[in-house]
C-alpha cells in the first residue's frame, strides 16, 4: 500500500499535480477496491483497543504523512495563511481529510458526489 501511494506522489511536477494524483488514487480505491479501506477502518477500530494494532496503525499514518510532506509540501510555496503551520502538521491534515472523506464515501454510497469532495484538498495549493 505504501509503495502504491509513493508511486502516485511521485507523479507530476508541482505540488498541485502530486496532490491531484494522490486524490485520483484514493478515488480509484474508493470506487473499485472499497474492501481495502474497510480493512483499514477495521484495523483503526482495533487500534483503539490494542497496543499492537495501535503501533501498526500509528506507524502507517506516520509514514503516509511523511510521504505527503516529502513529496508535496517540502519545497512548496504555500499561501500566506498557511505559512504559520509546519509541513508536518499540514501533511497530517491532508491525510486526515482524505481518510475522513473516505469513510463518508463508504458510509453513504448513494451520495455519488461525496467522492468528488476529495478534490477540495487541492484548494491548499490554489
Amino acid at each position: 500500500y505504501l509503495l502504491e501511494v509513493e508511486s502516485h506522489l511521485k507523479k507530476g511536477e508541482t505540488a498541485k499535480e502530486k496532490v491531484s494524483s494522490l486524490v485520483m488514487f484514493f478515488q480509484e480505491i474508493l470506487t473499485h477496491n472499497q474492501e481495502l479501506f474497510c480493512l483499514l477502518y477495521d484495523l483503526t477500530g482495533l487500534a483503539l483497543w490494542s497496543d499492537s494494532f495501535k503501533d501498526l496503525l500509528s506507524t502507517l499514518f506516520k509514514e503516509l504523512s511523511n510521504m505527503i510532506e516529502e513529496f508535496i509540501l517540502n519545497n512548496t510555496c504555500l499561501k500566506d495563511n498557511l505559512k504559520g503551520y509546519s509541513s508536518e502538521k499540514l501533511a497530517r491534515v491532508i491525510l486526515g481529510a482524505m481518510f475522513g472523506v473516505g469513510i463518508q464515501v463508504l458510509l453513504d454510497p448513494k451520495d455519488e458526489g461525496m467522492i468528488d469532495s476529495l478534490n477540495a484538498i487541492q484548494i491548499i495549493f490554489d
Side-chain angles (χ1 to χ4, degrees), residues 33-99:
N33 193 5
Q34 289 185 350
E35 295 81 16
L36 181 62
F37 265 89
C38 289
L39 177 62
L40 179 61
Y41 293 124
D42 283 345
L43 290 172
T44 302
L46 290 171
L48 296 173
W49 302 101
S50 163
D51 286 339
S52 59
F53 282 109
K54 185 181 295 186
D55 292 341
L56 177 71
L57 266 289
S58 179
T59 299
L60 174 64
F61 288 132
K62 260 185 212 161
E63 289 183 24
L64 289 168
S65 292
N66 289 343
M67 282 195 268
I68 291 170
E69 184 179 8
E70 177 185 348
F71 291 104
I72 297 175
L73 297 170
N74 287 347
N75 303 317
T76 299
C77 291
L78 297 172
K79 297 192 300 187
D80 287 338
N81 62 337
L82 298 175
K83 288 187 179 179
Y85 299 96
S86 70
S87 58
E88 177 186 2
K89 302 270 189 287
L90 290 172
R92 288 180 183 258
V93 167
I94 290 169
L95 181 62
M98 294 181 80
F99 277 99

